[in-house]
Amino acid sequence: MKAPPRLADLSALPKLATVPPKIRLRKVEALGVTLIAAVVFLGAVGVIEPEESNGLDLIVRVTIIFVALTAGFRFLGKRELSQMSPFEIVTLLMIAEIVSPSLTAGDESIPGALVGAATLLFLTFIDSVMTYRLKWFQTVSEALPAIVINRGRLVEDALHKDRIRTDEILSEMRKAGIERLDMIKWGVLEPDGRLSFVRYDGEDTGAEEPLVS
């Protein structure tokens, strides 16, 4: 019997032809990014100046916290991104309260909020551009999808590494209208933490009894 694929073995999944990445913004998007970048620049050079802090210092603070939290959530794993327990939600809320004073250094002025928000939006845009353009950055910032069901059988290695319980798989199967594991050709844990399924569509697979029922 052929061994099920390991965690990062995605060669069995269908692939599309590679499209060379090119950044093309709509006019309204280009205008928005330009305005956001302008606010960040004016804050950095001191034209837009917060009342209680320095604009450049505020930009650096937001950037550091943004990078640190993005890396932290990346290291948590895929499942934590889509399904948070009450404990994890409380932790997330506490993180917001903890880092908030560090972001603005006590500045509650409108210019400070404007520069901070513009910096955050600009960093989000830069992150999306780099993820789209640079393969290595995509690998660092986004987790790979993982095969958790292969031809009606659970891939235990993937379940253990991403901490997925069988009852979670059953719940997602019910939502997708799938009754049994042997109806599934592939079950994939996507980078955003959601489970997706590719069905056999009625094909007689000759599969053994499902591992979970």
Side-chain angles (χ1 to χ4, degrees), residues 13 25 33 39 48 54 66 81 87 90 93 104 137 171-172 194 200 212:
L13 296 178
L25 298 179
V33 172
V39 171
I48 300 178
N54 178 270
F66 177 86
L81 295 177
F87 172 78
V90 170
L93 293 175
T104 62
F137 189 82
S171 175
E172 296 300 322
R194 300 181 184 275
Y200 277 107
V212 179

Side-chain angles (χ1 to χ4, degrees), residues 49-81:
E49 188 173 1
E51 293 180 0
E52 303 294 335
S53 62
N54 178 270
L56 181 59
D57 179 64
L58 180 60
I59 292 171
V60 171
R61 288 171 178 269
V62 172
T63 302
I64 292 174
I65 297 299
F66 177 86
V67 173
L69 291 182
T70 300
F73 278 108
R74 170 67 177 86
F75 296 148
L76 279 179
K78 293 188 285 292
R79 285 307 279 166
E80 279 72 11
L81 295 177

Side-chain angles (χ1 to χ4, degrees), residues 3 44 68 71 93 97 102 134 171:
L93 293 175
E97 290 296 324
S102 300
L134 304 175
S171 175

Side-chain angles (χ1 to χ4, degrees), residues 17 24 31 37 55 63 78 106-107 130 172 189 194-195 203:
R24 294 179 179 175
L31 177 61
T63 302
K78 293 188 285 292
D107 191 301
M130 292 183 66
E172 296 300 322
L189 179 62
R194 300 181 184 275
L195 284 167
E203 177 185 348

Side-chain angles (χ1 to χ4, degrees), residues 11-60:
S11 58
L13 296 178
K15 294 180 175 60
L16 297 176
T18 302
V19 178
K22 296 181 180 179
I23 304 300
R24 294 179 179 175
L25 298 179
R26 299 178 180 89
K27 291 182 179 180
V28 65
E29 293 174 335
L31 177 61
V33 172
T34 302
L35 292 175
I36 291 171
V39 171
V40 175
F41 175 76
L42 294 176
V45 299
V47 176
I48 300 178
E49 188 173 1
E51 293 180 0
E52 303 294 335
S53 62
N54 178 270
L56 181 59
D57 179 64
L58 180 60
I59 292 171
V60 171

